[in-house]
Amino acid sequence: MPSLCRKLVDIACRTIRPVELTWEDGLIQSIGPSSESPGEGFLLPGFVDSHIHIESSMLVPSQFAKVAVGHGTVATVSDPHEIANVLGQRGIEYMIDDGKRVPLKFFFGAPSCVPATPFETAGAALNADDIAGLLDHADIHYLAEMMNYPGVIGGDPQVHQKIQAAKNARMRIDGHAPGVRGADAVAYFRSGISTDHECTTLEEAIEKLDLGVMIQIREGSAARNFDALHSLLRTHAERLMFCSDDKHPDDLLVDHIDGLCRRALHEGHDLFDILHAACVAPVQHYDLNVGQLRVGDPADFIEVASLEELRVARTWIEGECVFMEGEAQFAVENAEAINHFDCRLITDDALSVANEPGKRIRVIEVEDGQIVTGQSMDEPRVEAGQVVADKTRDLLKLVNFNRYHEAPPAIGFVRGFGLQQGAIAGSVGHDSHNILAVGTDDACIVQAINGVIEAQGGLTCCDGQRLECLPLPVAGLMSLDSCQVVGQRYQQLDAMAKKLGCVLQAPYMTLSFLGLLVIPSLKLSDHGLFDGEAFQPVDLHV
């Protein structure tokens, strides 16, 4: 019977003590006084990401697992919303099946909003009956984030049928309520929704905590809310969880939930409060079959050398050491690629925008590190009767191009990227995952978009002469390669975009959210501009 003599971090009792830990058949058999001097290191429960879209790592679940276990992650609460919007139930089943090929525990939810709104074109649709069927699936564990908050508040029958289906199945219902306050927040969470990962201010989070909501402190590649919310660890530690939501491969190589724990420690927060959010709260809230270092639990735990830095030396899942000496201890066989991509190459003339004399244009205002956007009205730059980009004012052209069937592109303008040359594009375009592109001139935008189409999905960067591409053959969202390969290629594209003048931390992640209509304020779907606060389409010209 395997055993370890180490110091155990007991989160429930808030103690650290030397123990001898034994396990067999994947379960912890005993935790008792150490029969010998404990070795160097500390044992604690593994980390759990309480809300993540695996697809945003651009890795299939099996490849995600190989890098995540190195950060001490033993489980994720995963919303397959992205691939579901491309491929429907077939995509969800793909994620479940691929996740089963590795030890990491993926707890998938039933995506509640496919498509997210009726104002965009997705590759699939899931109605209330489809959701009820998914919730009967043994591998579905909760109803994933209810992004259609206007539908919840306004009493949309289909939305409430999905919520009722989750209640009937006795499953948790995840929330998504950016900026929803006051009476609207009461109506939204009274429906039975129990979490929110969209808080961007302390005041918003406290108001929702007072409604009994579990707050997920999110730190992803585009949305970074830790700085605004971490003080809650001193006042509401028992009501908090950590999550990444969307994390690109280059960031995943650096850290995961372990990184949030280190930052919280460096801010002076209590170790046990931090670990409760990172290890305990998600397991309790979602009733996950993940061990908590108790007798009879699955042997899911990690070893760290120091409680000041929480650098993971080894990770165990169900008694199997899945990470040690800097390497995952399991192999991943090549997965199959599935996709949904059906559009022709685009031409320069498709991007023409006729000027309307005497009118201004609506402009999407990007804020670095946030997925919420502002909006402004500006004078257009006009050439030969056409509205064009104006890089001197950082006023760039933005395109959303339907990848599921033939349709004209939707065009808007955005400020905040800072590009002085070229264009970037990608088939990662939340939530419907059409092709999004931004650039300084039509020729470069066309080249960037056509590079994505020719690859049948991916990210591209064009400087006017050279086109670079990271192919994403799985649903136009994920690669089949390792995180190291994808992360390096992504970093090269990121560096190229920044060399062209882009000032954003994560240009491709920020671009991907400019089609996300359920996040205020102004966004661009494949149908056109959309005001997320009024929750209705709006015209470019004003």
Side-chain angles (χ1 to χ4, degrees):
M1 184 183 300
S3 66
L4 272 175
C5 292
R6 295 288 188 274
K7 293 176 183 176
L8 182 140
V9 179
D10 189 326
I11 301 171
C13 295
R14 301 177 73 87
T15 60
I16 301 171
R17 66 184 190 277
V19 301
E20 181 174 7
L21 177 77
T22 67
W23 66 93
E24 190 172 39
D25 297 328
L27 300 177
I28 293 176
Q29 300 299 314
S30 66
I31 301 174
S34 180
S35 60
E36 57 186 76
S37 178
E40 296 295 325
F42 301 83
L43 302 181
L44 53 149
F47 301 124
V48 181
D49 192 328
S50 68
H51 173 72
I52 186 171
H53 305 278
I54 300 297
E55 303 96 313
S56 290
S57 70
M58 302 183 206
L59 308 171
V60 293
S62 54
Q63 291 289 356
F64 174 93
K66 287 200 73 173
V67 66
V69 294
H71 297 306
T73 303
V74 299
T76 65
V77 181
S78 306
D79 179 1
H81 172 94
E82 313 303 345
I83 197 169
N85 266 278
V86 178
L87 289 157
Q89 294 196 43
R90 181 180 172 221
I92 299 169
E93 290 164 2
Y94 178 92
M95 300 295 280
I96 292 170
D97 291 344
D98 189 70
K100 287 181 176 179
R101 302 195 301 136
V102 290
L104 191 141
K105 297 182 175 183
F106 293 98
F107 295 94
F108 287 105
S112 65
C113 299
V114 180
T117 75
F119 303 103
E120 58 197 301
T121 304
L126 298 177
N127 61 28
D129 290 340
D130 297 325
I131 294 299
L134 280 169
L135 292 169
D136 281 337
H137 196 298
D139 294 306
I140 295 294
H141 300 273
Y142 68 107
L143 182 63
E145 58 178 314
M146 180 49 74
M147 308 177 80
N148 188 357
Y149 55 87
V152 177
I153 297 165
D156 182 281
Q158 271 282 315
V159 167
H160 281 272
Q161 285 175 39
K162 293 174 183 178
I163 291 172
Q164 188 59 49
K167 291 179 177 178
N168 293 344
R170 298 177 181 272
M171 288 188 180
R172 292 291 192 182
I173 306 165
D174 261 8
H176 166 108
V180 177
R181 308 283 294 272
D184 284 347
V186 172
Y188 181 79
F189 292 107
R190 188 175 287 165
S191 70
I193 294 168
S194 58
T195 68
D196 191 42
H197 58 272
E198 294 290 350
C199 294
T200 59
T201 68
L202 197 61
E203 294 75 20
E204 179 184 356
I206 290 172
E207 181 178 333
K208 291 173 179 175
L209 283 162
D210 289 343
L211 294 174
V213 179
M214 291 288 289
I215 296 298
Q216 293 153 314
I217 297 180
R218 171 179 61 186
E219 191 76 359
S221 293
R224 302 173 184 267
N225 308 128
F226 177 84
D227 286 343
L229 302 180
H230 72 78
S231 65
L232 292 170
L233 284 163
R234 295 191 178 92
T235 57
H236 297 80
E238 74 287 353
R239 305 288 303 163
L240 303 178
M241 300 184 277
F242 290 149
C243 77
S244 57
D245 196 1
D246 296 285
K247 199 164 180 77
H248 268 185
D250 57 332
D251 288 335
L252 188 59
L253 286 170
V254 176
D255 63 20
H256 192 201
I257 300 301
D258 58 325
L260 276 172
C261 293
R262 282 190 289 273
R263 287 180 63 181
L265 279 172
H266 295 162
E267 292 288 346
H269 295 293
D270 179 82
L271 172 68
F272 295 105
D273 290 341
I274 294 166
L275 295 180
H276 186 274
C279 311
V280 177
V283 174
Q284 292 180 341
H285 182 76
Y286 294 100
D287 191 24
L288 307 179
N289 184 30
V290 176
Q292 297 287 279
L293 274 178
R294 300 172 300 195
V295 174
D297 275 7
D300 307 326
F301 58 94
I302 62 178
E303 180 180 358
V304 300
S306 160
L307 293 180
E308 286 73 40
E309 288 300 321
L310 295 178
R311 300 288 177 182
V312 176
R314 291 191 283 179
T315 302
W316 286 263
I317 298 178
E318 295 197 350
E320 176 187 354
C321 184
V322 297
F323 174 82
M324 65 182 297
E325 297 179 351
E327 297 287 340
Q329 300 298 297
F330 55 90
V332 176
E333 296 180 2
N334 288 336
E336 297 291 329
I338 59 174
N339 210 344
H340 184 180
F341 222 100
D342 188 17
C343 62
R344 297 177 185 173
L345 298 179
I346 196 170
T347 56
D348 289 14
D349 58 352
L351 302 187
S352 297
V353 179
N355 182 45
E356 296 186 14
K359 291 188 176 181
R360 295 182 295 169
I361 57 171
R362 284 186 169 89
V363 178
I364 298 171
E365 299 283 350
V366 167
E367 181 180 351
D368 199 13
Q370 299 294 338
I371 60 176
V372 294
T373 58
Q375 61 174 306
S376 62
M377 309 297 174
D378 216 327
E379 296 296 327
R381 179 182 176 183
V382 180
E383 293 181 358
Q386 303 294 315
V387 182
V388 298
D390 184 355
K391 62 187 180 185
T392 64
R393 291 185 290 157
D394 189 21
L395 194 60
L396 304 182
K397 185 172 282 189
L398 177 68
V399 178
N400 191 322
F401 187 50
N402 188 315
R403 63 130 142 171
Y404 301 110
H405 60 74
E406 293 301 316
I411 299 170
F413 289 84
V414 63
R415 179 181 283 114
F417 278 83
L419 283 171
Q420 294 300 302
Q421 178 187 351
I424 64 174
S427 55
V428 180
H430 303 287
D431 278 319
S432 295
H433 299 293
N434 291 298
I435 301 171
L436 285 164
V438 63
T440 61
D441 64 90
D442 290 358
C444 285
I445 295 172
V446 164
Q447 191 175 354
I449 291 173
N450 285 342
V452 173
I453 295 170
E454 288 169 344
Q456 294 288 280
L459 306 181
T460 60
C461 185
C462 170
D463 64 6
Q465 279 106 32
R466 181 168 58 109
L467 177 76
E468 295 293 336
C469 178
L470 167 59
L472 300 173
V474 181
L477 303 175
M478 293 170 282
S479 170
L480 295 171
D481 289 324
S482 69
C483 188
Q484 288 75 15
V485 170
V486 180
Q488 181 181 37
R489 188 71 182 120
Y490 177 78
Q491 285 176 329
Q492 291 169 348
L493 283 179
D494 182 82
M496 184 176 175
K498 289 171 180 173
K499 188 175 181 181
L500 296 177
C502 188
V503 296
L504 298 173
Q505 296 179 70
Y508 287 94
M509 183 68 89
T510 300
L511 176 65
S512 74
F513 283 106
L514 294 186
L516 184 54
L517 308 189
V518 294
I519 295 287
S521 159
L522 188 63
K523 296 293 194 292
L524 181 70
S525 84
D526 65 297
H527 295 180
L529 285 171
F530 188 84
D531 186 324
E533 292 179 337
F535 217 72
Q536 64 184 21
V538 292
D539 292 331
L540 172 64
H541 289 93
V542 184

CSV table of all heavy atoms in Angstrom, one decimal, residues 481-510:
chain,number,residue,atom,x,y,z
A,481,ASP,N,-2.0,19.8,-31.1
A,481,ASP,CA,-0.6,19.8,-30.6
A,481,ASP,C,-0.6,20.0,-29.1
A,481,ASP,O,-1.6,20.4,-28.5
A,481,ASP,CB,0.2,20.9,-31.3
A,481,ASP,CG,0.5,20.5,-32.8
A,481,ASP,OD1,0.7,19.3,-33.1
A,481,ASP,OD2,0.5,21.4,-33.6
A,482,SER,N,0.6,19.9,-28.6
A,482,SER,CA,0.8,20.1,-27.1
A,482,SER,C,0.7,21.6,-26.8
A,482,SER,O,0.9,22.5,-27.7
A,482,SER,CB,2.2,19.6,-26.7
A,482,SER,OG,3.2,20.4,-27.3
A,483,CYS,N,0.6,21.9,-25.5
A,483,CYS,CA,0.6,23.3,-25.0
A,483,CYS,C,1.9,24.0,-25.4
A,483,CYS,O,1.9,25.2,-25.7
A,483,CYS,CB,0.3,23.3,-23.5
A,483,CYS,SG,0.0,25.0,-22.9
A,484,GLN,N,3.0,23.3,-25.3
A,484,GLN,CA,4.3,23.9,-25.6
A,484,GLN,C,4.4,24.3,-27.0
A,484,GLN,O,4.8,25.4,-27.3
A,484,GLN,CB,5.4,22.9,-25.3
A,484,GLN,CG,5.7,22.6,-23.8
A,484,GLN,CD,4.6,21.8,-23.1
A,484,GLN,OE1,3.8,21.1,-23.8
A,484,GLN,NE2,4.6,21.7,-21.8
A,485,VAL,N,3.9,23.5,-27.9
A,485,VAL,CA,3.9,23.8,-29.4
A,485,VAL,C,2.9,25.0,-29.7
A,485,VAL,O,3.3,25.9,-30.3
A,485,VAL,CB,3.6,22.6,-30.2
A,485,VAL,CG1,3.4,23.0,-31.7
A,485,VAL,CG2,4.7,21.5,-30.1
A,486,VAL,N,1.7,24.8,-29.2
A,486,VAL,CA,0.7,25.8,-29.4
A,486,VAL,C,1.1,27.2,-28.8
A,486,VAL,O,0.9,28.2,-29.3
A,486,VAL,CB,-0.7,25.4,-29.0
A,486,VAL,CG1,-1.8,26.4,-29.3
A,486,VAL,CG2,-1.1,24.1,-29.7
A,487,GLY,N,1.5,27.1,-27.5
A,487,GLY,CA,1.9,28.3,-26.8
A,487,GLY,C,3.0,29.0,-27.5
A,487,GLY,O,3.0,30.3,-27.6
A,488,GLN,N,4.0,28.3,-28.0
A,488,GLN,CA,5.1,29.0,-28.7
A,488,GLN,C,4.7,29.6,-30.0
A,488,GLN,O,5.0,30.8,-30.2
A,488,GLN,CB,6.2,28.0,-29.0
A,488,GLN,CG,7.4,28.6,-29.7
A,488,GLN,CD,8.5,27.5,-30.0
A,488,GLN,OE1,8.2,26.4,-30.4
A,488,GLN,NE2,9.8,27.9,-29.9
A,489,ARG,N,3.8,28.9,-30.7
A,489,ARG,CA,3.3,29.5,-32.0
A,489,ARG,C,2.4,30.7,-31.7
A,489,ARG,O,2.5,31.7,-32.4
A,489,ARG,CB,2.5,28.4,-32.7
A,489,ARG,CG,2.1,28.9,-34.1
A,489,ARG,CD,3.3,28.9,-35.0
A,489,ARG,NE,3.0,29.4,-36.4
A,489,ARG,CZ,3.5,30.5,-36.9
A,489,ARG,NH1,4.3,31.2,-36.3
A,489,ARG,NH2,3.1,30.8,-38.1
A,490,TYR,N,1.6,30.6,-30.6
A,490,TYR,CA,0.8,31.7,-30.2
A,490,TYR,C,1.6,32.9,-29.8
A,490,TYR,O,1.3,34.1,-30.2
A,490,TYR,CB,-0.2,31.3,-29.1
A,490,TYR,CG,-1.0,32.4,-28.6
A,490,TYR,CD1,-2.2,32.9,-29.3
A,490,TYR,CD2,-0.7,33.1,-27.4
A,490,TYR,CE1,-2.9,33.9,-28.8
A,490,TYR,CE2,-1.5,34.2,-26.9
A,490,TYR,CZ,-2.6,34.5,-27.6
A,490,TYR,OH,-3.3,35.6,-27.2
A,491,GLN,N,2.7,32.7,-29.1
A,491,GLN,CA,3.5,33.8,-28.6
A,491,GLN,C,4.2,34.5,-29.8
A,491,GLN,O,4.3,35.7,-29.8
A,491,GLN,CB,4.6,33.2,-27.7
A,491,GLN,CG,4.1,32.9,-26.3
A,491,GLN,CD,5.2,32.3,-25.4
A,491,GLN,OE1,6.1,31.6,-25.9
A,491,GLN,NE2,5.1,32.5,-24.1
A,492,GLN,N,4.5,33.7,-30.9
A,492,GLN,CA,5.0,34.3,-32.1
A,492,GLN,C,4.0,35.3,-32.8
A,492,GLN,O,4.4,36.4,-33.2
A,492,GLN,CB,5.5,33.2,-33.0
A,492,GLN,CG,6.7,32.4,-32.5
A,492,GLN,CD,7.0,31.2,-33.4
A,492,GLN,OE1,6.2,30.8,-34.2
A,492,GLN,NE2,8.2,30.6,-33.2
A,493,LEU,N,2.8,34.8,-32.8
A,493,LEU,CA,1.7,35.7,-33.4
A,493,LEU,C,1.5,36.9,-32.6
A,493,LEU,O,1.4,38.0,-33.1
A,493,LEU,CB,0.4,34.9,-33.6
A,493,LEU,CG,0.3,33.9,-34.7
A,493,LEU,CD1,-1.1,33.2,-34.7
A,493,LEU,CD2,0.5,34.6,-36.1
A,494,ASP,N,1.5,36.7,-31.2
A,494,ASP,CA,1.3,37.8,-30.3
A,494,ASP,C,2.4,38.8,-30.5
A,494,ASP,O,2.1,40.0,-30.5
A,494,ASP,CB,1.2,37.2,-28.9
A,494,ASP,CG,1.0,38.3,-27.8
A,494,ASP,OD1,-0.2,38.7,-27.6
A,494,ASP,OD2,2.0,38.8,-27.2
A,495,ALA,N,3.6,38.3,-30.6
A,495,ALA,CA,4.8,39.3,-30.7
A,495,ALA,C,4.7,40.0,-32.0
A,495,ALA,O,5.0,41.2,-32.1
A,495,ALA,CB,6.1,38.5,-30.6
A,496,MET,N,4.3,39.3,-33.1
A,496,MET,CA,4.1,39.9,-34.4
A,496,MET,C,3.1,41.1,-34.4
A,496,MET,O,3.3,42.2,-34.9
A,496,MET,CB,3.8,38.9,-35.5
A,496,MET,CG,3.7,39.4,-36.9
A,496,MET,SD,3.4,38.1,-38.1
A,496,MET,CE,3.2,39.1,-39.6
A,497,ALA,N,2.0,40.8,-33.7
A,497,ALA,CA,0.9,41.8,-33.6
A,497,ALA,C,1.4,43.0,-32.8
A,497,ALA,O,1.1,44.2,-33.2
A,497,ALA,CB,-0.3,41.2,-32.9
A,498,LYS,N,2.2,42.8,-31.8
A,498,LYS,CA,2.7,43.9,-31.0
A,498,LYS,C,3.8,44.7,-31.8
A,498,LYS,O,3.9,45.9,-31.6
A,498,LYS,CB,3.2,43.4,-29.6
A,498,LYS,CG,2.0,42.9,-28.7
A,498,LYS,CD,2.5,42.2,-27.5
A,498,LYS,CE,1.2,41.8,-26.7
A,498,LYS,NZ,1.6,41.0,-25.5
A,499,LYS,N,4.5,44.0,-32.6
A,499,LYS,CA,5.5,44.6,-33.4
A,499,LYS,C,4.8,45.6,-34.4
A,499,LYS,O,5.4,46.6,-34.8
A,499,LYS,CB,6.4,43.6,-34.2
A,499,LYS,CG,7.5,44.2,-34.9
A,499,LYS,CD,8.4,43.1,-35.5
A,499,LYS,CE,9.6,43.7,-36.2
A,499,LYS,NZ,10.5,42.7,-36.8
A,500,LEU,N,3.6,45.2,-34.8
A,500,LEU,CA,2.8,46.0,-35.7
A,500,LEU,C,2.1,47.2,-35.0
A,500,LEU,O,1.4,48.0,-35.6
A,500,LEU,CB,1.7,45.2,-36.4
A,500,LEU,CG,2.3,44.1,-37.4
A,500,LEU,CD1,1.2,43.3,-38.0
A,500,LEU,CD2,3.2,44.7,-38.4
A,501,GLY,N,2.4,47.3,-33.7
A,501,GLY,CA,1.9,48.4,-32.9
A,501,GLY,C,0.8,48.1,-31.9
A,501,GLY,O,0.4,49.0,-31.1
A,502,CYS,N,0.3,46.9,-31.8
A,502,CYS,CA,-0.8,46.6,-30.9
A,502,CYS,C,-0.3,46.8,-29.4
A,502,CYS,O,0.8,46.3,-29.1
A,502,CYS,CB,-1.3,45.2,-31.1
A,502,CYS,SG,-2.7,44.8,-30.1
A,503,VAL,N,-1.1,47.5,-28.6
A,503,VAL,CA,-0.7,47.8,-27.3
A,503,VAL,C,-1.4,46.9,-26.2
A,503,VAL,O,-1.2,47.1,-25.0
A,503,VAL,CB,-1.0,49.3,-27.0
A,503,VAL,CG1,-0.2,50.2,-27.9
A,503,VAL,CG2,-2.5,49.6,-27.2
A,504,LEU,N,-2.2,46.0,-26.6
A,504,LEU,CA,-3.0,45.2,-25.7
A,504,LEU,C,-2.1,44.0,-25.1
A,504,LEU,O,-1.3,43.5,-25.8
A,504,LEU,CB,-4.2,44.6,-26.4
A,504,LEU,CG,-5.2,45.6,-26.9
A,504,LEU,CD1,-6.3,44.9,-27.7
A,504,LEU,CD2,-5.8,46.4,-25.7
A,505,GLN,N,-2.4,43.6,-23.9
A,505,GLN,CA,-1.7,42.4,-23.3
A,505,GLN,C,-2.0,41.2,-24.1
A,505,GLN,O,-1.1,40.4,-24.3
A,505,GLN,CB,-2.2,42.2,-21.9
A,505,GLN,CG,-1.9,43.3,-20.9
A,505,GLN,CD,-2.4,43.0,-19.5
A,505,GLN,OE1,-1.9,42.1,-18.9
A,505,GLN,NE2,-3.4,43.7,-19.1
A,506,ALA,N,-3.2,41.0,-24.5
A,506,ALA,CA,-3.6,39.8,-25.2
A,506,ALA,C,-4.5,40.1,-26.4
A,506,ALA,O,-5.7,40.1,-26.3
A,506,ALA,CB,-4.4,38.8,-24.2
A,507,PRO,N,-3.9,40.5,-27.5
A,507,PRO,CA,-4.7,41.0,-28.6
A,507,PRO,C,-5.7,40.0,-29.2
A,507,PRO,O,-6.8,40.4,-29.5
A,507,PRO,CB,-3.6,41.3,-29.7
A,507,PRO,CG,-2.3,41.2,-29.1
A,507,PRO,CD,-2.4,40.6,-27.7
A,508,TYR,N,-5.3,38.8,-29.3
A,508,TYR,CA,-6.2,37.8,-29.9
A,508,TYR,C,-7.4,37.5,-28.9
A,508,TYR,O,-8.5,37.2,-29.4
A,508,TYR,CB,-5.4,36.5,-30.3
A,508,TYR,CG,-4.6,36.7,-31.5
A,508,TYR,CD1,-3.3,37.1,-31.4
A,508,TYR,CD2,-5.1,36.6,-32.8
A,508,TYR,CE1,-2.5,37.3,-32.5
A,508,TYR,CE2,-4.4,36.8,-33.9
A,508,TYR,CZ,-3.0,37.2,-33.8
A,508,TYR,OH,-2.3,37.4,-34.9
A,509,MET,N,-7.1,37.4,-27.6
A,509,MET,CA,-8.1,37.1,-26.7
A,509,MET,C,-9.1,38.3,-26.7
A,509,MET,O,-10.3,38.1,-26.7
A,509,MET,CB,-7.6,36.9,-25.3
A,509,MET,CG,-8.6,36.6,-24.2
A,509,MET,SD,-9.4,34.9,-24.5
A,509,MET,CE,-8.3,33.9,-23.6
A,510,THR,N,-8.6,39.5,-26.7
A,510,THR,CA,-9.5,40.7,-26.7
A,510,THR,C,-10.3,40.7,-28.0
A,510,THR,O,-11.5,41.0,-27.9
A,510,THR,CB,-8.6,42.0,-26.6
A,510,THR,OG1,-7.9,42.0,-25.4
A,510,THR,CG2,-9.5,43.2,-26.6
